[in-house]
Amino acid sequence: MLENDLSPAVDNTVYLRDYQPPAFVINKVALDFVLGAEHTEVTATLSVVRNGEHQDALRLDGEKMQLLSVALDQRRLGEEDYEVNDSELVIAQVPDQFELQVITRLQPHLNTELSGLYQSSGNFCTQCEAEGFRRITYFPDRPDVLSEYEVTITADQNSCPVLLSNGNPVAQGHNDDGTHWQRWHDPHPKPSYLFALVAGDLQFVSDTFVTASGKHVDLNIYTQAHNIDKCDHAMRSLKAAMQWDQEVYGREYDLDIFNIVAVDDFNMGAMENKGLNIFNSKYVLADQDTATDDDFEGIESVVGHEYFHNWSGNRVTCRDWFQLSLKEGFTVFRDQEFSADMGSRAVKRIRDVQMLRTYQFKEDAGPMAHPVRPDSYQEINNFYTVTIYEKGAEVIRMMHALVGAEGFRKATDLYFDRFDGQAVTTEDFVQCMEQANHIDLGQFRRWYTQAGTPQVSVVQQHDAGSGVFTLEFSQSCPATPGQTDKQPFYIPLSFALLDQQGKVHNAQTLVLDQAKQTVEFKGWSQPPVVSMLRGFCAPVKLAFDQSDADLAHLVEYDDDGFARWEAMQRLSLNLILPAIEGGSIDEGLYENIITALRGLIASAPPDRAILAEMLTLPSASYIADQGRPIKARAAYQVRRQLQARMAQDLQGEMQQLFDANQGAAAFSLSSEAMAQRALKNRALSYLVARETDAGYQLAETQYEQATNMTDRLAAFAALMHSDYPAKAELVDRFYARYQNQALVLDKWFALQATVPDEATLQNVQALLKHAAFSINNPNKVRSLIGAYTANMPSFHNVDGSGYAFLADKIIELNAINPQIAARLAGAFNSWRDHAEPNSSLMKQQLQRINDAAALSKDIKEIVSKALA
C-alpha cells in the first residue's frame, strides 16, 4: 500500500526520558536497488539479533512506500504473520537471531518532500537524515543502530551511467537488458541516516589526496555536465579541510574514495553521508562570474563542515536525536575554526556573532526555545536549529577556552579513541573534557539543559581616593517554555582595562558562576575603559551602561577585533533606538560617530575586511529586535535615513575608499583581494545612498564593467535598494545575462523580493509564475518567498497583506514539502513582540494556518507552539 496520510497523531511528542536501547540490532545490511522511471524496487536483507533478554516483537519504521513481501530466514511470510500500518511493520514472533528480507516499491519521481529516495533534475538521490531511510525500506530508523552496509544498484546504463553509494566500489557489471550494476561496501558500521545513493547522468572532476600516513585517496566531485567547470573551488576546499583536520585534530580519512555530488533540489545545505556527501549545488558550484566572495567562503565552510563530520558525526555518532548537537555543535565549531584559519579570524568571528544574535537569540526568546540538548520534540526536522548548531558551537568554544588548545586536543583524542564506532551522548563528550584536563564541568552542563540567552549585567565603580576600580557582575536568564526557574550558568567572561592612552591592562577571563560576583583592581587614579566580552567569549546578552565617550575610546584603541567592532555597533544603536521611539537624533553623538569613522578610515587597520565591517550599521532586523514592542518598519526607515545622512557627510572619504580599493585586474580569492572588494563595495553602498545621479552612475559603471559576481551583485543590490529610477531595465538586463544560471537567478529573485517598495509584494506574486521559478525547488522558495519575509517595509505592511501572502504559501507547501513550509512558518514566531496592528494580523494568519486541513506535523508543531 502507498501511504500518504499527513494528518497528525493525537500526541507526537517524543521525550528524552523515555529513551530505551534498541530491542534488536542489525549487524549487516544488504540493499539491492532496481531503479526505474516509474518505480524503484528495493530488496533489503537484514542480519538481525535480539538485543537483551526480552520477547518483544520486531518493530521496523516505514512510511510512504508499498510493501511487496517479507521473508524470515528465506521463508516468505503471509499477511497473518505480520502487521503493517502507515508508520511501521510489526512481526510478533521472531527468533533471537535471523535474516529478514523485505521488498518495497517506491516512486521517487513523485517524492516532492525530498526525504528518502527522490529525483532531482532526472537523477536519483537520497536524503535520509533524520528519518528518511524509513521511506526506502522498513528498518529501525534510529541513530543508535549501527550496521555494515553492502549496496547494489541496477539502472539503465544510458540514463544512469553513474551509480554511487557509501564506502568503496567492489564490483560492477552489465546486463543483457541494457542495464548495468555496481556494488559498494562500507566497512564502517553506520546508522541508517548516513546511507546514501546517487544514480544519474553526471560528470565529475577528480583529484588525489595523500594522507599523513601515505594513503592515497581518490577525490571526485559530480555534477551535471553544464556545471562541470564550477567545481574547482570546492575541490580546493576539500583538500584544505583534509589537511587541516590532520594538522589540528590528527584525523585522517579512512576510505579509499571520497565523493561529493551536487544536486539542485535539496532541503538543507549538505549531508555528510559516509564517503558520499550530497550537497545542495549552492555549496559546490562557483566561478568568478557566477559566485560572490560570500559564496566562495560559504562553499569552503560547508565542504569543511561535511568532511569534518567523518569523525565528529560518522565514526562517532549520536545515540538519539536529543544528542544532535553532539555532532552538529562540535562540527560547526570545527568548521568555524577552519574558516578562521583560512581567512580573517576577526571578521569570521564578527559574522558568526551577527548570525547568532539575529537568529539564535530570537529563537531563545520565542515559542520554539529549547536547550542545546532538548528534552522533547514532536517533529525532529524542526530541531535542526540555530540553537542546536550555532549555540551548540558556542558551548564547545567555551570549553575550548576553559581548557586551552592543548587540553582540548587531548580531550578530543580521548573522545575519538574511546567512542570510535559508537553512538554516544553529549555527556560522554563533556566527560572526556573533564577526564583529559582534570576539571569539574558539573555546573557548565547547564548550557546543555537550560534554554534561553543569559544576560550578564555589569556595573563599574571608581574610588578616586583609593584608586580602586570595581566591576560588579550579575547574571540572569528569562523564563522559556517549560523552564521558569533558571540556575546560574557557568560563564567565561573575557575582559580587559584600557587606560586613557589606549594601552591594554589586566586582560583576563573571569568565570561567572554565581548570581553576583565582584572584582576589584587597584592603582587606577583615573577610571579605565572596560573592554568587555572580548572575542564574544560566551553567548550572552551584555547589559553594561558605558558612556559614548568610553565606546568611542574602544573604537579607537581596542586591540580585540570583535570588541572594537562591538563598540561601534553600540554607538550606532545609542543613536538609532531613541529615534525609532519618536525621539530626535542626538547631534553630539552623531558628530562623534562621524569623527570616529573618519579616524578609522584615516588610520585603517591592516585587515581591510575589519574596516568594511566597522563601516556597516547594525542590520534593520537586529535594530528592531532591541525594542519592545518591535517596530519593524520604523527601524528600517530610521536606519535608511541615517545611512543617507552619513553618506552625505562622509562622501569624500567614501569616494576615496572606493577609488583606492579597485584591486588588481586579475581575479583572486586571497584574503587581501576579498577584503579590498568588501571595502570598495561598502563605500559604493554609501555613495549610492546619497541618491544622486553621480552615485547611480558609479554603480551603473561597476555593474557593466565588473569582472566578477561580487562586484556586479554589489552594484545591482545598491541600485535596487535605492531610489534609482531604472530598476526595471536593470532587472531585465541581469536576467538576460544569467537566465541559464540557476544559482545566479536565486540572487535575482532574492534582490527583487527585498526591494523596499510598495509594489514589491505584487512583483513577488508575479515572480511566482516566472518560468525560472518552481515551488518544488527549495532554493527557489527560499530565494523568493523566504527572502520576502526579510523585507521589513513590505512584509510588515500594516494592511497585513505580507502576512496573508506567506500564510497562503505555507498552506500550499504543506502538501509539497512540509520541511520547507515549517521553516517559513518561523517568521511568525515573534508575533507577540510586534506592535499593533501587526501583532494581531500575524496571529490571524497563524490561526488560519493552524486550521488548515491535513496540516503536517512539521508545521503543526511550529504553529501550535507559537499560538500557545
Side-chain angles (χ1 to χ4, degrees), residues 88-150:
E88 63 180 357
L89 168 66
V90 182
I91 307 176
Q93 302 295 325
V94 294
D96 290 344
Q97 184 171 344
F98 57 96
E99 179 183 274
L100 184 73
Q101 184 184 82
V102 179
I103 302 178
T104 54
R105 177 174 291 167
L106 324 176
Q107 293 182 292
H109 66 293
L110 299 181
N111 182 356
T112 62
E113 295 185 35
L114 312 185
S115 175
L117 178 66
Y118 65 94
Q119 286 188 277
S120 174
S121 302
N123 298 308
F124 293 88
C125 59
T126 56
Q127 172 56 31
C128 292
E129 189 176 359
E131 296 178 340
F133 192 73
R134 65 187 63 191
R135 298 183 174 195
I136 294 173
T137 190
Y138 288 90
F139 198 80
D141 192 14
R142 45 189 287 172
D144 58 351
V145 175
L146 278 64
S147 313
E148 182 180 333
Y149 281 70
E150 184 174 82

Side-chain angles (χ1 to χ4, degrees), residues 350-650:
I350 287 168
R351 291 178 179 173
D352 289 340
V353 172
Q354 288 173 322
M355 199 270 195
L356 191 80
R357 285 175 166 173
T358 301
Y359 299 104
Q360 198 281 320
F361 281 14
K362 186 177 294 185
E363 185 169 83
D364 259 349
M368 287 295 290
H370 57 276
V372 171
R373 192 207 64 199
D375 297 316
S376 66
Y377 63 81
Q378 294 176 23
E379 170 51 63
I380 185 56
N381 288 324
N382 290 336
F383 280 81
Y384 284 75
T385 63
V386 282
T387 297
I388 299 296
Y389 281 65
E390 277 69 27
K391 186 175 182 179
E394 295 300 315
V395 173
I396 301 295
R397 183 177 297 278
M398 287 188 288
M399 282 191 276
H400 186 280
L402 289 168
V403 304
E406 183 178 346
F408 192 79
R409 171 64 187 272
K410 285 168 54 181
T412 57
D413 283 350
L414 175 62
Y415 171 72
F416 289 131
D417 292 344
R418 177 179 292 176
F419 298 116
D420 188 14
Q422 298 181 48
V424 298
T425 67
T426 57
E427 176 61 22
D428 293 316
F429 186 89
V430 176
Q431 285 183 7
C432 287
M433 287 290 153
E434 291 178 315
Q435 293 169 14
N437 293 282
H438 308 289
I439 60 171
D440 181 1
L441 294 174
Q443 185 178 348
F444 184 87
R445 286 170 170 82
R446 289 173 185 165
W447 284 106
Y448 282 104
T449 59
Q450 291 189 152
T453 304
Q455 177 168 296
V456 173
S457 299
V458 182
V459 176
Q460 64 181 36
Q461 294 182 350
H462 179 250
D463 187 325
S466 65
V468 174
F469 181 74
T470 305
L471 290 174
E472 298 176 356
F473 297 91
S474 62
Q475 63 162 298
S476 62
C477 187
T480 53
Q483 294 185 342
T484 55
D485 298 318
K486 304 296 176 72
Q487 297 300 308
F489 285 83
Y490 191 92
I491 306 173
L493 284 178
S494 296
F495 65 94
L497 308 180
L498 276 66
D499 62 25
Q500 297 305 308
Q501 289 71 46
K503 185 177 180 180
V504 176
H505 303 265
N506 302 103
Q508 60 185 273
T509 298
L510 165 76
V511 173
L512 179 61
D513 57 1
Q514 304 297 318
K516 294 183 178 181
Q517 288 170 237
T518 301
V519 180
E520 290 186 350
F521 301 91
K522 297 179 180 179
W524 288 94
S525 59
Q526 297 291 325
V529 176
V530 183
S531 170
M532 186 60 66
L533 209 63
R534 288 161 71 84
F536 197 73
C537 50
V540 301
K541 292 182 178 180
L542 180 65
F544 188 11
D545 187 17
Q546 288 181 285
S547 69
D548 294 335
D550 280 0
L551 294 174
H553 192 72
L554 295 173
V555 170
E556 185 172 2
Y557 294 113
D558 205 326
D559 64 350
D560 182 271
F562 168 79
R564 193 180 189 193
W565 169 82
E566 172 74 344
M568 179 57 74
Q569 296 286 291
R570 289 175 65 190
L571 277 174
S572 300
L573 288 172
N574 288 348
L575 187 67
I576 293 170
L577 293 178
I580 293 174
E581 298 303 322
S584 59
I585 291 289
D586 182 330
E587 294 298 332
L589 176 54
Y590 175 79
E591 290 303 326
N592 288 339
I593 289 176
I594 293 297
T595 299
L597 291 175
R598 285 184 173 134
L600 282 172
I601 294 169
S603 57
D607 185 351
R608 283 186 268 198
I610 281 282
L611 180 55
E613 294 294 336
M614 295 194 71
L615 291 173
T616 307
L617 290 170
S619 71
S621 175
Y622 182 69
I623 293 168
D625 206 43
Q626 303 312 298
R628 291 294 182 274
I630 293 173
K631 299 177 180 178
R633 287 164 62 89
Y636 175 84
Q637 293 299 338
V638 170
R639 183 188 187 277
R640 183 173 183 180
Q641 290 164 8
L642 177 61
Q643 183 170 5
R645 181 176 174 184
M646 292 169 65
Q648 193 68 34
D649 291 340
L650 293 171

Side-chain angles (χ1 to χ4, degrees), residues 608 656-663 672 675-677 679-680:
R608 283 186 268 198
Q656 183 181 13
L657 283 177
F658 181 76
D659 294 338
N661 286 279
Q662 290 301 311
E672 175 62 22
Q676 275 193 302
R677 287 192 287 271
L679 188 51
K680 174 186 65 178

Side-chain angles (χ1 to χ4, degrees), residues 63-294:
E63 62 185 30
K64 301 189 178 182
M65 57 189 170
Q66 182 181 2
L67 177 62
L68 298 183
S69 69
V70 183
L72 196 154
D73 286 335
Q74 300 184 16
R75 179 180 70 85
R76 180 164 181 160
L77 301 185
E79 291 186 0
E80 69 280 2
D81 296 321
Y82 61 85
E83 295 180 13
V84 63
N85 56 39
D86 61 359
S87 63
E88 63 180 357
L89 168 66
V90 182
I91 307 176
Q93 302 295 325
V94 294
D96 290 344
Q97 184 171 344
F98 57 96
E99 179 183 274
L100 184 73
Q101 184 184 82
V102 179
I103 302 178
T104 54
R105 177 174 291 167
L106 324 176
Q107 293 182 292
H109 66 293
L110 299 181
N111 182 356
T112 62
E113 295 185 35
L114 312 185
S115 175
L117 178 66
Y118 65 94
Q119 286 188 277
S120 174
S121 302
N123 298 308
F124 293 88
C125 59
T126 56
Q127 172 56 31
C128 292
E129 189 176 359
E131 296 178 340
F133 192 73
R134 65 187 63 191
R135 298 183 174 195
I136 294 173
T137 190
Y138 288 90
F139 198 80
D141 192 14
R142 45 189 287 172
D144 58 351
V145 175
L146 278 64
S147 313
E148 182 180 333
Y149 281 70
E150 184 174 82
V151 180
T152 303
I153 310 166
T154 302
D156 178 77
Q157 59 188 357
N158 292 321
S159 60
C160 294
V162 172
L163 306 174
L164 304 172
S165 192
N166 309 87
N168 298 316
V170 293
Q172 61 183 359
H174 293 269
N175 302 316
D176 294 338
D177 60 356
T179 62
H180 68 139
W181 60 272
Q182 186 155 11
R183 183 168 298 128
W184 294 77
H185 176 243
D186 184 358
H188 301 282
K190 64 175 179 285
S192 54
Y193 81 84
L194 289 173
F195 168 75
L197 175 152
V198 172
D201 187 3
L202 301 166
Q203 301 293 314
F204 68 96
V205 297
S206 61
D207 207 331
T208 302
F209 183 82
V210 181
T211 68
S213 63
K215 180 180 180 178
H216 287 249
V217 181
D218 293 330
L219 310 176
N220 303 301
I221 299 180
Y222 290 83
T223 187
Q224 293 172 277
H226 63 274
N227 288 322
I228 199 65
D229 60 341
K230 298 184 179 69
C231 299
D232 292 346
H233 178 68
M235 182 65 80
R236 289 192 298 269
S237 299
L238 174 59
K239 296 180 73 173
M242 297 176 82
Q243 184 66 33
W244 186 88
D245 210 21
Q246 288 185 158
E247 294 174 357
V248 178
Y249 285 90
R251 300 294 117 188
E252 288 191 21
Y253 187 62
D254 50 10
L255 291 169
D256 300 330
I257 191 169
F258 187 91
N259 291 322
I260 289 176
V261 180
V263 300
D264 291 338
D265 302 285
F266 204 74
N267 282 340
M268 305 168 97
M271 181 61 209
E272 70 267 19
N273 316 298
K274 183 73 177 182
L276 177 57
N277 285 191
I278 301 178
F279 274 62
N280 186 324
S281 57
K282 172 181 173 64
Y283 293 108
V284 173
L285 306 177
D287 62 21
Q288 72 182 71
D289 188 50
T290 58
T292 65
D293 291 344
D294 286 346

